[in-house]
Amino acid sequence: MQRMRTAIFLLLALASLGAHGAARTPFQVRCEDTISKTVSVLTAQQNGYSIDTHLPYKALTVMKGTARANTWVLGLTKTDSQVQIGLAGPLLQDPASGYECVAPQISVKITYAPVVIYIGREFAPGTCAYDEILAHELRHMKTYMEHLPRVEKTVRAALARRFEARPLYAPSGTAKAALAREIDTGWLPYIKAEMRKVEVLQAAIDSPQEYARLGKACKGEIQNILAGKTAPAN
């Protein structure tokens, strides 16, 4: 990944000498033939959803914070993406050269916190208005869930390109610290950015056309409620 300009890229790639026809040093042989190969494990998981109907639609509009002008938020789908990265791996040192090698074993877990679908309490369950709003919010949830495996595929490929199943070399005492810095300053922000790309897809669902469709749905039931012509549900 070109965007990652961290200290890990300064690690000496002694193993590449063999690719250029030079004989491997005994230390390279130990590193490349005896310690575990690099491992990148990535899992994606979604954690279900619940429906909350205790808030009025005006409160949902405030909660969203970025509603289109002159529109009310009738339903809202909320979740948080979570990224956990674990780092381990065997390490060998060579006192003669002052270098060490490590075979990174990186585990990544990406999840969404349990999704909460809010529907304004004015729209009673079982009504046409409620069903229309719920169907719209389920589109949002489906978009979150479909984005997760795409992120997993992208990140898995990027990890494979970066580490290429070869050990990393560095001055003694620095390899794991440099690798940890790469994780914190490079990989973690990168994965979070990939997760945030779903928001573009979510914004597309809340199009002016969709708002207009909802406004006309259910023979005007939703508009009547917004205009106060129907008593709100308790």
Side-chain angles (χ1 to χ4, degrees):
M1 291 176 49
Q2 294 299 319
R3 288 175 290 181
M4 294 184 183
R5 303 297 183 185
T6 58
I8 196 68
F9 287 95
L10 298 178
L11 297 177
L12 296 185
L14 299 181
S16 66
L17 294 176
H20 291 84
R24 295 189 299 169
T25 68
F27 181 47
Q28 286 177 269
V29 172
R30 288 174 58 209
C31 288
E32 295 163 20
D33 297 351
T34 64
I35 67 174
S36 301
K37 301 299 183 183
T38 57
V39 178
S40 298
V41 178
L42 195 142
T43 60
Q45 176 182 344
Q46 64 95 356
N47 293 306
Y49 74 98
S50 60
I51 298 176
D52 187 313
T53 60
H54 82 281
L55 293 174
Y57 68 83
K58 290 183 179 179
L60 299 184
T61 303
V62 173
M63 185 187 297
K64 183 170 184 179
T66 57
R68 297 178 186 274
N70 302 315
T71 61
W72 294 107
V73 174
L74 312 181
L76 186 63
T77 299
K78 296 279 287 184
T79 188
D80 291 307
S81 62
Q82 301 171 340
V83 181
Q84 297 176 320
I85 302 180
L87 175 63
L91 183 146
L92 292 177
Q93 292 185 323
D94 181 36
S97 66
Y99 281 84
E100 64 189 11
C101 65
V102 60
Q105 295 178 350
I106 300 170
S107 60
V108 180
K109 183 178 181 181
I110 55 176
T111 63
Y112 282 118
V115 175
V116 179
I117 295 178
Y118 294 91
I119 298 179
R121 70 184 180 198
E122 295 85 356
F123 309 99
T127 63
C128 176
Y130 177 94
D131 291 343
E132 283 286 346
I133 296 168
L134 177 59
H136 173 89
E137 296 307 319
L138 288 174
R139 288 177 61 195
H140 283 295
M141 189 185 72
K142 182 172 182 285
T143 299
Y144 279 122
M145 299 306 110
E146 290 178 345
H147 186 63
L148 207 54
R150 289 197 293 265
V151 174
E152 179 179 14
K153 181 179 179 179
T154 298
V155 174
R156 189 186 300 277
L159 286 169
R161 288 193 302 268
R162 167 65 183 98
F163 295 107
E164 299 180 317
R166 292 202 302 261
L168 302 175
Y169 296 83
S172 292
T174 67
K176 286 195 173 181
L179 188 56
R181 284 194 298 274
E182 178 176 348
I183 296 298
D184 291 340
T185 64
W187 286 101
L188 191 57
Y190 165 72
I191 296 171
K192 289 182 176 180
E194 289 296 316
M195 295 289 279
R196 286 194 299 269
K197 288 181 179 179
V198 73
E199 299 307 326
V200 175
L201 304 175
Q202 299 292 11
I205 294 175
D206 291 329
S207 65
Q209 294 79 11
E210 176 66 2
Y211 277 110
R213 186 193 69 79
L214 285 173
K216 297 175 182 177
C218 302
K219 299 180 180 180
E221 178 182 328
I222 294 175
Q223 284 295 343
N224 286 339
I225 291 174
L226 295 179
K229 296 179 181 179
T230 301
N234 295 323

